[in-house]
Amino acid sequence: MKVKMLSRNPDNYVRETKLDLQRVPRNYDPALHPFEVPREYIRALNATKLERVFAKPFLASLDGHRDGVNCLAKHPEKLATVLSGACDGEVRIWNLTQRNCIRTIQAHEGFVRGICTRFCGTSFFTTFLLGSCASDRNIVLYDMRQATPLKKVILDMRTNTICWNPMEAFIFTAANEDYNLYTFDMRALDTPVMVHMDHVSAVLDVDYSPTGKEFVSASFDKSIRIFPVDKSRSREVYHTKRMQHVICVKWTSDSKYIMCGSDEMNIRLWKANASEKLGVLTSREKAAKDYNQKLKEKFQHYPHIKRIARHRHLPKSIYSQIQEQRIMKEARRRKEVNRIKHSKPGSVPLVSEKKKHVVAVVK
C-alpha cells in the first residue's frame, strides 16, 4: 500500500529576516521559460556596464620620499610590510594597512638600485638558475654550478628587467626598451612564447602575480598595464593625472593589490581587479557576484558586451601615440608585402612577429 504525503521544508519559503526578499518556488523546466536567453543577455549587459561603473582601482598614495622611487620589495612573511628605495639613497619601510611609514633609513649616498629581502620562513624553494639583462641588449642565463653562462639571447634593443613566473620555473618575461614585453621559455630562446604589445614607451619594470597567470608592467609612458600571460594585449591600464614616469612595480603576495613607484616621489596602491568590492561579502553578494561573472563569460563574445568590457579611458598623449604607432606599423606591413610581391619568389623571407625582435641566440 502506497501513502503519498506532502513534505515542506520551511527553509525553502520562510525568510531568514523580515528584510529579506520573499522566496518563491520556481519550476526550472526550459519549456516554461521561452525567453530565458534574452533575459540573461540583458542581465549580462547590465553586469558588464556596472563593472565599468564601479571600476575604481586607485586606493591610496604613500607620500614621504624626497626623490623618485627607484625600487620596491615585498616582505617574505608580513603581507602588509613593503620596502622602497629612492634615488637619494633613502630606504623606507611602509605599513600598507595603516598606510604610513614605519622607519626611514639613509642607506646610500647615491641611487638605491635594488632591494632584496631575506627569506626567514620555515621553508623555501630555490634553483641554481640566475638570469641577468645588460645594456648590450643581452639576456644571459647562468647556472651557479658552472663557470660559464648557459645561454644568451640578443634582442634588437636593451632589456631593462626580467621576472620569472612563480608557477612555471622555466618561463620568464623581459621588459624591453622597444615598448614590448617578451615571454620566453628558457628551453627555447630563439622564439619568444608571446610578445606583449600595448605600451607606447620603454617598459621599465615587470612583476608576476603569485598565481602566475598575469603580470603587471611599468612604463615610461606614465601608466601601468596588466597582461594575461597568454595574451598579447593588456586587460587593464591604470593611470592618474599626477603620476609621472613609472619606474618600479610590484604585485602583493595575496594577489589582490598592485604597488607602483614613480618619478614624482609617490608610491601608489591599486586594486588588481578594478571593480572588486573590498571588505566582507554576504552570502547573497557572493552568489550574485558569481552569477554575474558566469553571465559575462557566457556572453563575452557578443559585440555590444565585448565593446563595453574592453573600453578603457586613456590620456590624450597615450591615445595619440597609439594612433601614430598603428599608422607606422601598417606602413611597415604594406612595405613588406610590396617587397615580397615585386621580388623573386623565395628571395625575401617572411619573418613572423615573434622572431623579428630576436637577433641571435648564443649557447
Side-chain angles (χ1 to χ4, degrees):
M1 178 179 177
K2 285 187 177 181
V3 178
K4 294 184 178 179
M5 299 176 60
L6 292 176
S7 176
R8 292 189 177 92
N9 184 359
D11 293 339
N12 294 333
Y13 56 89
V14 176
R15 295 182 292 177
E16 293 180 3
T17 67
K18 63 180 181 181
L19 300 177
D20 277 350
L21 298 175
Q22 188 70 40
R23 298 183 180 181
V24 180
R26 288 190 58 196
N27 189 334
Y28 291 97
D29 183 5
L32 301 178
H33 303 280
F35 300 108
E36 184 177 5
V37 173
R39 279 200 304 271
E40 286 189 341
Y41 172 78
I42 296 299
R43 290 172 184 170
L45 183 62
N46 292 337
T48 306
K49 288 180 180 179
L50 287 175
E51 181 185 27
R52 300 316 313 151
V53 168
F54 293 115
K56 297 177 180 178
F58 181 71
L59 292 176
S61 176
L62 306 178
D63 305 329
H65 277 295
R66 293 166 295 182
D67 207 336
V69 182
N70 201 44
C71 54
L72 292 170
K74 298 175 287 189
H75 194 281
E77 291 183 340
K78 299 178 181 179
L79 193 63
T81 302
V82 176
L83 294 86
S84 64
C87 296
D88 59 357
E90 185 181 71
V91 174
R92 285 178 176 255
I93 304 175
W94 303 88
N95 187 306
L96 295 183
T97 306
Q98 300 174 357
R99 299 178 185 177
N100 61 3
C101 178
I102 303 172
R103 190 179 176 191
T104 302
I105 304 166
Q106 189 63 38
H108 296 273
E109 293 181 358
F111 282 38
V112 181
R113 300 192 182 277
I115 300 178
C116 183
T117 56
R118 181 183 178 186
F119 286 91
C120 299
T122 55
S123 61
F124 57 90
F125 176 75
T126 61
T127 67
F128 286 101
L129 292 176
L130 176 70
S132 71
C133 51
S135 58
D136 57 357
R137 302 178 298 156
N138 290 340
I139 300 175
V140 187
L141 300 182
Y142 296 93
D143 189 333
M144 301 301 291
R145 296 164 292 185
Q146 299 181 8
T148 57
L150 283 177
K151 294 179 181 178
K152 180 168 69 173
V153 57
I154 306 173
L155 301 179
D156 277 337
M157 296 187 72
R158 170 185 170 179
T159 298
N160 288 313
T161 186
I162 64 173
C163 184
W164 294 89
N165 191 319
M167 292 290 109
E168 297 177 290
F170 45 84
I171 300 292
F172 67 90
T173 298
N176 203 273
E177 287 278 342
D178 64 357
Y179 313 168
N180 296 337
L181 296 107
Y182 301 96
T183 297
F184 283 96
D185 187 330
M186 63 169 289
R187 300 168 296 183
L189 291 176
D190 54 339
T191 304
V193 177
M194 186 64 64
V195 180
H196 310 275
M197 303 173 289
D198 257 346
H199 284 293
V200 294
S201 191
V203 188
L204 301 180
D205 199 9
V206 59
D207 191 40
Y208 266 94
S209 160
T211 61
K213 295 182 179 179
E214 293 181 323
F215 61 83
V216 59
S217 61
S219 174
F220 201 75
D221 62 9
K222 307 177 186 178
S223 69
I224 62 175
R225 289 181 180 268
I226 301 175
F227 289 87
V229 174
D230 56 346
K231 299 287 175 49
S232 62
R233 299 294 179 180
S234 62
R235 72 161 176 87
E236 202 67 74
V237 54
Y238 294 160
H239 57 87
T240 66
K241 289 184 178 180
R242 286 191 60 202
M243 189 161 69
Q244 297 301 310
H245 311 308
V246 189
I247 301 175
C248 52
V249 68
K250 286 291 179 186
W251 206 309
T252 58
S253 300
D254 60 353
S255 191
K256 284 191 174 183
Y257 306 102
I258 292 169
M259 298 172 295
C260 69
S262 50
D263 263 352
E264 84 294 345
M265 305 173 285
N266 274 1
I267 299 172
R268 288 181 172 83
L269 187 65
W270 310 81
K271 289 190 286 187
N273 185 358
S275 59
E276 182 181 10
K277 182 180 178 182
L278 300 180
V280 180
L281 300 179
T282 64
S283 57
R284 288 179 59 185
E285 285 178 324
K286 290 179 182 177
K289 176 185 173 183
D290 295 340
Y291 178 61
N292 289 336
Q293 184 62 32
K294 286 297 181 183
L295 286 178
K296 286 184 288 186
E297 291 176 4
K298 181 178 180 180
F299 294 95
Q300 62 181 332
H301 298 296
Y302 281 62
H304 196 36
I305 291 179
K306 186 177 181 180
R307 181 184 63 81
I308 295 173
R310 71 182 182 186
H311 174 74
R312 297 294 182 275
H313 176 267
L314 293 173
K316 188 176 180 180
S317 59
I318 295 180
Y319 182 80
S320 58
Q321 284 179 284
I322 289 175
Q323 303 305 317
E324 184 180 351
Q325 287 188 10
R326 188 173 296 164
I327 294 171
M328 293 167 62
K329 186 175 181 181
E330 177 59 26
R332 287 195 296 266
R333 188 198 65 81
R334 193 164 56 246
K335 180 180 179 180
E336 186 177 0
V337 169
N338 289 336
R339 285 185 61 199
I340 295 174
K341 186 187 299 183
H342 298 289
S343 301
K344 185 179 178 181
S347 61
V348 180
L350 186 62
V351 183
S352 67
E353 184 65 31
K354 290 183 178 180
K355 292 188 176 183
K356 282 181 181 178
H357 309 281
V358 178
V359 177
V361 177
V362 182
K363 297 183 181 179

